[in-house]
Amino acid sequence: MRMEGTGIEGVTLDLSRLTEIMEDHGLVLAGQWDYERVTYDRKIETKGEIYYLRIQGYAVEGDVGGRHAVIKLITPLLGRYYYPHGVEYGEGENFPASVVNTSKTVLKQVSEALQKAL
């Protein structure tokens, strides 16, 4: 599910500051990057199901691997995890209201922190 209208899409920020903000809100970069892209995930568990709030971006300057990059964020996603296949984001997925509301709250907080950092 695409999480439209969050104020996050299109924000451009230095990788180190971006990672600080994301970690402050429970979104982890871990090993989910390459030299041009980053993916921050927050795991949400409810009633035995696992969901991921995912914020992705790509380098508009520099190199992610060298930790000196400027990242432009794209529209966040909410997906459901299926073992062993991975995360599905399709419109046909059914997301509990509690998961959607948690995701919206986190995205609002992240958006506010990003705006302060600009």
Side-chain angles (χ1 to χ4, degrees):
M1 162 189 262
R2 292 171 54 89
M3 305 294 287
E4 305 276 357
T6 63
I8 290 174
E9 49 279 313
V11 170
T12 303
L13 195 61
D14 175 76
L15 175 63
S16 60
R17 183 68 183 116
L18 178 62
T19 299
E20 279 179 30
I21 290 169
M22 295 298 179
E23 288 176 349
D24 287 347
H25 294 89
L27 289 132
V28 179
L29 179 60
Q32 301 166 124
W33 61 271
D34 63 24
Y35 293 100
E36 298 172 350
R37 294 180 296 265
V38 294
T39 300
Y40 297 92
D41 280 337
R42 179 165 171 164
K43 185 178 183 180
I44 302 168
E45 293 185 71
T46 185
K47 298 180 183 176
E49 301 291 335
I50 299 172
Y51 301 88
Y52 284 95
L53 176 59
R54 179 165 279 180
I55 300 176
Q56 298 172 301
Y58 60 92
V60 292
E61 286 180 34
D63 178 313
V64 174
R67 297 290 182 204
H68 299 289
V70 175
I71 305 296
K72 184 172 185 176
L73 298 175
I74 61 175
T75 303
L77 300 170
L78 179 60
R80 182 175 177 194
Y81 177 75
Y82 292 95
Y83 177 83
H85 303 292
V87 181
E88 291 291 331
Y89 305 99
E91 292 301 318
E93 294 297 322
N94 184 19
F95 298 98
S98 62
V99 173
V100 173
N101 291 335
T102 296
S103 298
K104 286 180 179 180
T105 299
V106 170
L107 291 171
K108 182 177 185 222
Q109 293 169 350
V110 168
S111 179
E112 291 170 355
L114 290 170
Q115 295 306 315
K116 288 179 185 175
L118 296 177

